[in-house]
Amino acid sequence: MENKNFESNPNPLVSFLKKPAKEFTKKDIMEFIRAHNIEMLNFRYVAADGRLKALNFIINNEEHLNQVLSTGERVDGSSLFPFIEAGSSDLYVVPRYSTAFVNPFEDIPTIDILCSYFNNEGKPLESAPEYVLRKAHNDFKKATGLTFKGLGELEYYIIDDKDENSEFPAVDQKGYHESGPFAKFEHIRIEAMHLVAQCGGVLKYGHSEVGNFTDDKYYYEQQELEFLPCDIEDAADQLVIAKWILRKLSHEYGVTISLAPKITVGKAGSGLHVHFMLEKDG
């Protein structure tokens, strides 16, 4: 479902390089950085807590950039995963060029890239979730000749102080596909969709969900972002970035976001539904 009209692609790197993200090379990333006066590079990787971590680099010169993009950087694995002992904690995070995107939150021009973990022998970290998924998919393709695709439905609640004076109060458990002004946080969802697309996510749609209620102090509004099917590794990456974007936006807007499956009894829960599809020869 990738947009082949590269100039209209919302991802600035795809639009500039005129090629799909899967074909990005180190040379491509360096070309984009030069052309757009990018000053910083962030490595991103998921630890055991499921959060997207960051390692920041100021780009000193082209030689420095080339080295970092080629060999990655050492990190302390024991601080990222509880099952890694401190005595053998050296890991390396190595960028996957296809995941590069312009960080939409930084004032300083910045490129972010998702990374894979490698051990001190230069081999993939067998226990890293990203590698487990990739290895399983490769084995599946070899055994069946089929490609395993997926898409996520990312449901979440936005929570804010209760407004007793609202002229357009929400109707309890009647929020499905509601729009503003009855849906108070439609603008955050729309902004999130725009940013997810810029960062390489391929969305199907977004909408308000059923969950809509108040308690003594707070107003709760449920939303959903749904993606289009893609290779299962890319589907996981897109969910990770989308959750990061939602959390960043909630912080900027001074609201709380909850990805919890259930907030309270009797109200709609948030299911992280992942749909699967098998494909052969398109």
PDB file of all heavy atoms in Angstrom, residues 258-277:
ATOM      1  N   SER A 258      -3.705   7.171  28.103  1.00  0.00           N
ATOM      2  CA  SER A 258      -3.655   5.833  28.677  1.00  0.00           C
ATOM      3  C   SER A 258      -3.811   4.798  27.569  1.00  0.00           C
ATOM      4  O   SER A 258      -4.787   4.828  26.820  1.00  0.00           O
ATOM      5  CB  SER A 258      -4.759   5.637  29.719  1.00  0.00           C
ATOM      6  OG  SER A 258      -4.785   4.284  30.151  1.00  0.00           O
ATOM      7  N   LEU A 259      -2.857   3.891  27.507  1.00  0.00           N
ATOM      8  CA  LEU A 259      -2.915   2.759  26.591  1.00  0.00           C
ATOM      9  C   LEU A 259      -3.321   1.483  27.332  1.00  0.00           C
ATOM     10  O   LEU A 259      -3.256   0.392  26.779  1.00  0.00           O
ATOM     11  CB  LEU A 259      -1.561   2.564  25.916  1.00  0.00           C
ATOM     12  CG  LEU A 259      -1.101   3.744  25.045  1.00  0.00           C
ATOM     13  CD1 LEU A 259       0.396   3.681  24.792  1.00  0.00           C
ATOM     14  CD2 LEU A 259      -1.853   3.759  23.731  1.00  0.00           C
ATOM     15  N   ALA A 260      -3.756   1.635  28.584  1.00  0.00           N
ATOM     16  CA  ALA A 260      -4.153   0.490  29.396  1.00  0.00           C
ATOM     17  C   ALA A 260      -5.344  -0.223  28.765  1.00  0.00           C
ATOM     18  O   ALA A 260      -6.242   0.425  28.216  1.00  0.00           O
ATOM     19  CB  ALA A 260      -4.518   0.943  30.809  1.00  0.00           C
ATOM     20  N   PRO A 261      -5.381  -1.549  28.828  1.00  0.00           N
ATOM     21  CA  PRO A 261      -6.502  -2.281  28.218  1.00  0.00           C
ATOM     22  C   PRO A 261      -7.834  -2.013  28.904  1.00  0.00           C
ATOM     23  O   PRO A 261      -8.882  -2.111  28.267  1.00  0.00           O
ATOM     24  CB  PRO A 261      -6.084  -3.741  28.349  1.00  0.00           C
ATOM     25  CG  PRO A 261      -5.042  -3.774  29.401  1.00  0.00           C
ATOM     26  CD  PRO A 261      -4.343  -2.453  29.345  1.00  0.00           C
ATOM     27  N   LYS A 262      -7.807  -1.654  30.193  1.00  0.00           N
ATOM     28  CA  LYS A 262      -9.065  -1.408  30.906  1.00  0.00           C
ATOM     29  C   LYS A 262      -8.831  -0.346  31.976  1.00  0.00           C
ATOM     30  O   LYS A 262      -7.902  -0.477  32.780  1.00  0.00           O
ATOM     31  CB  LYS A 262      -9.571  -2.706  31.551  1.00  0.00           C
ATOM     32  CG  LYS A 262     -11.015  -2.671  31.986  1.00  0.00           C
ATOM     33  CD  LYS A 262     -11.967  -2.664  30.792  1.00  0.00           C
ATOM     34  CE  LYS A 262     -13.418  -2.804  31.236  1.00  0.00           C
ATOM     35  NZ  LYS A 262     -14.361  -2.694  30.110  1.00  0.00           N
ATOM     36  N   ILE A 263      -9.666   0.686  31.965  1.00  0.00           N
ATOM     37  CA  ILE A 263      -9.535   1.756  32.951  1.00  0.00           C
ATOM     38  C   ILE A 263     -10.454   1.511  34.136  1.00  0.00           C
ATOM     39  O   ILE A 263     -10.058   1.669  35.285  1.00  0.00           O
ATOM     40  CB  ILE A 263      -9.822   3.127  32.304  1.00  0.00           C
ATOM     41  CG1 ILE A 263      -8.708   3.480  31.325  1.00  0.00           C
ATOM     42  CG2 ILE A 263      -9.946   4.217  33.369  1.00  0.00           C
ATOM     43  CD1 ILE A 263      -8.907   4.798  30.620  1.00  0.00           C
ATOM     44  N   THR A 264     -11.700   1.125  33.862  1.00  0.00           N
ATOM     45  CA  THR A 264     -12.658   0.907  34.936  1.00  0.00           C
ATOM     46  C   THR A 264     -13.740  -0.059  34.469  1.00  0.00           C
ATOM     47  O   THR A 264     -13.936  -0.274  33.270  1.00  0.00           O
ATOM     48  CB  THR A 264     -13.291   2.243  35.386  1.00  0.00           C
ATOM     49  OG1 THR A 264     -14.069   2.030  36.567  1.00  0.00           O
ATOM     50  CG2 THR A 264     -14.182   2.833  34.320  1.00  0.00           C
ATOM     51  N   VAL A 265     -14.441  -0.640  35.412  1.00  0.00           N
ATOM     52  CA  VAL A 265     -15.490  -1.620  35.109  1.00  0.00           C
ATOM     53  C   VAL A 265     -16.670  -0.924  34.431  1.00  0.00           C
ATOM     54  O   VAL A 265     -17.057   0.185  34.785  1.00  0.00           O
ATOM     55  CB  VAL A 265     -15.962  -2.318  36.399  1.00  0.00           C
ATOM     56  CG1 VAL A 265     -17.128  -3.258  36.119  1.00  0.00           C
ATOM     57  CG2 VAL A 265     -14.807  -3.080  37.038  1.00  0.00           C
ATOM     58  N   GLY A 266     -17.219  -1.583  33.414  1.00  0.00           N
ATOM     59  CA  GLY A 266     -18.429  -1.088  32.777  1.00  0.00           C
ATOM     60  C   GLY A 266     -18.215  -0.082  31.667  1.00  0.00           C
ATOM     61  O   GLY A 266     -19.189   0.386  31.063  1.00  0.00           O
ATOM     62  N   LYS A 267     -16.966   0.259  31.384  1.00  0.00           N
ATOM     63  CA  LYS A 267     -16.661   1.194  30.300  1.00  0.00           C
ATOM     64  C   LYS A 267     -15.783   0.489  29.264  1.00  0.00           C
ATOM     65  O   LYS A 267     -15.043  -0.438  29.580  1.00  0.00           O
ATOM     66  CB  LYS A 267     -15.935   2.430  30.830  1.00  0.00           C
ATOM     67  CG  LYS A 267     -16.639   3.119  31.998  1.00  0.00           C
ATOM     68  CD  LYS A 267     -18.030   3.620  31.634  1.00  0.00           C
ATOM     69  CE  LYS A 267     -18.671   4.329  32.830  1.00  0.00           C
ATOM     70  NZ  LYS A 267     -20.061   4.766  32.543  1.00  0.00           N
ATOM     71  N   ALA A 268     -15.859   0.955  28.026  1.00  0.00           N
ATOM     72  CA  ALA A 268     -15.131   0.305  26.930  1.00  0.00           C
ATOM     73  C   ALA A 268     -13.632   0.263  27.205  1.00  0.00           C
ATOM     74  O   ALA A 268     -13.041   1.264  27.624  1.00  0.00           O
ATOM     75  CB  ALA A 268     -15.404   1.046  25.623  1.00  0.00           C
ATOM     76  N   GLY A 269     -13.048  -0.898  26.994  1.00  0.00           N
ATOM     77  CA  GLY A 269     -11.606  -1.039  27.133  1.00  0.00           C
ATOM     78  C   GLY A 269     -10.907  -0.786  25.807  1.00  0.00           C
ATOM     79  O   GLY A 269     -11.531  -0.689  24.753  1.00  0.00           O
ATOM     80  N   SER A 270      -9.587  -0.645  25.872  1.00  0.00           N
ATOM     81  CA  SER A 270      -8.775  -0.386  24.677  1.00  0.00           C
ATOM     82  C   SER A 270      -8.036  -1.653  24.284  1.00  0.00           C
ATOM     83  O   SER A 270      -7.129  -2.090  24.993  1.00  0.00           O
ATOM     84  CB  SER A 270      -7.790   0.755  24.932  1.00  0.00           C
ATOM     85  OG  SER A 270      -8.478   1.972  25.145  1.00  0.00           O
ATOM     86  N   GLY A 271      -8.422  -2.240  23.157  1.00  0.00           N
ATOM     87  CA  GLY A 271      -7.752  -3.438  22.679  1.00  0.00           C
ATOM     88  C   GLY A 271      -6.701  -3.076  21.645  1.00  0.00           C
ATOM     89  O   GLY A 271      -6.962  -2.328  20.715  1.00  0.00           O
ATOM     90  N   LEU A 272      -5.489  -3.574  21.845  1.00  0.00           N
ATOM     91  CA  LEU A 272      -4.464  -3.411  20.801  1.00  0.00           C
ATOM     92  C   LEU A 272      -4.637  -4.580  19.838  1.00  0.00           C
ATOM     93  O   LEU A 272      -3.950  -5.595  19.906  1.00  0.00           O
ATOM     94  CB  LEU A 272      -3.066  -3.399  21.405  1.00  0.00           C
ATOM     95  CG  LEU A 272      -1.901  -3.284  20.411  1.00  0.00           C
ATOM     96  CD1 LEU A 272      -2.051  -2.064  19.511  1.00  0.00           C
ATOM     97  CD2 LEU A 272      -0.572  -3.250  21.134  1.00  0.00           C
ATOM     98  N   HIS A 273      -5.622  -4.445  18.936  1.00  0.00           N
ATOM     99  CA  HIS A 273      -5.895  -5.515  17.978  1.00  0.00           C
ATOM    100  C   HIS A 273      -4.841  -5.499  16.886  1.00  0.00           C
ATOM    101  O   HIS A 273      -4.521  -4.447  16.334  1.00  0.00           O
ATOM    102  CB  HIS A 273      -7.274  -5.329  17.345  1.00  0.00           C
ATOM    103  CG  HIS A 273      -8.371  -5.156  18.344  1.00  0.00           C
ATOM    104  ND1 HIS A 273      -9.268  -4.115  18.307  1.00  0.00           N
ATOM    105  CD2 HIS A 273      -8.702  -5.907  19.434  1.00  0.00           C
ATOM    106  CE1 HIS A 273     -10.110  -4.217  19.325  1.00  0.00           C
ATOM    107  NE2 HIS A 273      -9.793  -5.286  20.009  1.00  0.00           N
ATOM    108  N   VAL A 274      -4.297  -6.659  16.574  1.00  0.00           N
ATOM    109  CA  VAL A 274      -3.354  -6.784  15.465  1.00  0.00           C
ATOM    110  C   VAL A 274      -3.916  -7.807  14.488  1.00  0.00           C
ATOM    111  O   VAL A 274      -4.120  -8.969  14.840  1.00  0.00           O
ATOM    112  CB  VAL A 274      -1.958  -7.213  15.949  1.00  0.00           C
ATOM    113  CG1 VAL A 274      -1.005  -7.307  14.765  1.00  0.00           C
ATOM    114  CG2 VAL A 274      -1.411  -6.222  16.974  1.00  0.00           C
ATOM    115  N   HIS A 275      -4.202  -7.370  13.275  1.00  0.00           N
ATOM    116  CA  HIS A 275      -4.761  -8.235  12.240  1.00  0.00           C
ATOM    117  C   HIS A 275      -3.622  -8.796  11.386  1.00  0.00           C
ATOM    118  O   HIS A 275      -2.638  -8.097  11.103  1.00  0.00           O
ATOM    119  CB  HIS A 275      -5.722  -7.445  11.350  1.00  0.00           C
ATOM    120  CG  HIS A 275      -6.863  -6.835  12.112  1.00  0.00           C
ATOM    121  ND1 HIS A 275      -8.047  -7.503  12.330  1.00  0.00           N
ATOM    122  CD2 HIS A 275      -6.984  -5.629  12.718  1.00  0.00           C
ATOM    123  CE1 HIS A 275      -8.857  -6.734  13.027  1.00  0.00           C
ATOM    124  NE2 HIS A 275      -8.242  -5.588  13.282  1.00  0.00           N
ATOM    125  N   PHE A 276      -3.765 -10.037  10.973  1.00  0.00           N
ATOM    126  CA  PHE A 276      -2.722 -10.710  10.210  1.00  0.00           C
ATOM    127  C   PHE A 276      -3.217 -11.097   8.821  1.00  0.00           C
ATOM    128  O   PHE A 276      -4.404 -11.350   8.610  1.00  0.00           O
ATOM    129  CB  PHE A 276      -2.242 -11.968  10.939  1.00  0.00           C
ATOM    130  CG  PHE A 276      -1.664 -11.686  12.295  1.00  0.00           C
ATOM    131  CD1 PHE A 276      -2.183 -12.283  13.428  1.00  0.00           C
ATOM    132  CD2 PHE A 276      -0.603 -10.805  12.430  1.00  0.00           C
ATOM    133  CE1 PHE A 276      -1.657 -12.029  14.670  1.00  0.00           C
ATOM    134  CE2 PHE A 276      -0.053 -10.546  13.676  1.00  0.00           C
ATOM    135  CZ  PHE A 276      -0.589 -11.154  14.804  1.00  0.00           C
ATOM    136  N   MET A 277      -2.275 -11.136   7.876  1.00  0.00           N
ATOM    137  CA  MET A 277      -2.599 -11.490   6.505  1.00  0.00           C
ATOM    138  C   MET A 277      -1.400 -12.222   5.902  1.00  0.00           C
ATOM    139  O   MET A 277      -0.244 -11.823   6.123  1.00  0.00           O
ATOM    140  CB  MET A 277      -2.892 -10.214   5.705  1.00  0.00           C
ATOM    141  CG  MET A 277      -3.223 -10.467   4.236  1.00  0.00           C
ATOM    142  SD  MET A 277      -3.694  -8.928   3.408  1.00  0.00           S
ATOM    143  CE  MET A 277      -2.096  -8.162   3.169  1.00  0.00           C
TER     144      MET A 277
END
